Amino acid sequence: MEVIKLRYFLDLDYETIGRILKIPIGTVKSRISVGINKLKESLGGDINERY
């Protein structure tokens, strides 16, 4: 969830997040994607999937 905070609360780009966390950009993107999907699940899924 750290990448979510850095991306959406601090508005940092992928490269900056990668440098801060010392991980490749691809890993940053992957973690953001997984984090967003987990948030969607915890909030009841995508609204379009319910109808």
Side-chain angles (χ1 to χ4, degrees), residues 1-38:
M1 293 302 251
E2 188 69 22
V3 292
I4 301 291
K5 291 177 193 173
L6 293 171
R7 177 70 177 149
Y8 295 104
F9 290 97
L10 298 178
D11 199 31
L12 299 177
D13 59 60
Y14 297 132
E15 185 177 331
T16 303
I17 295 169
R19 276 189 274 128
I20 289 170
L21 299 177
K22 297 180 177 137
I23 58 175
I25 293 174
T27 303
V28 172
K29 291 178 180 181
S30 175
R31 289 183 183 178
I32 288 172
S33 177
V34 168
I36 288 174
N37 286 334
K38 285 183 180 182

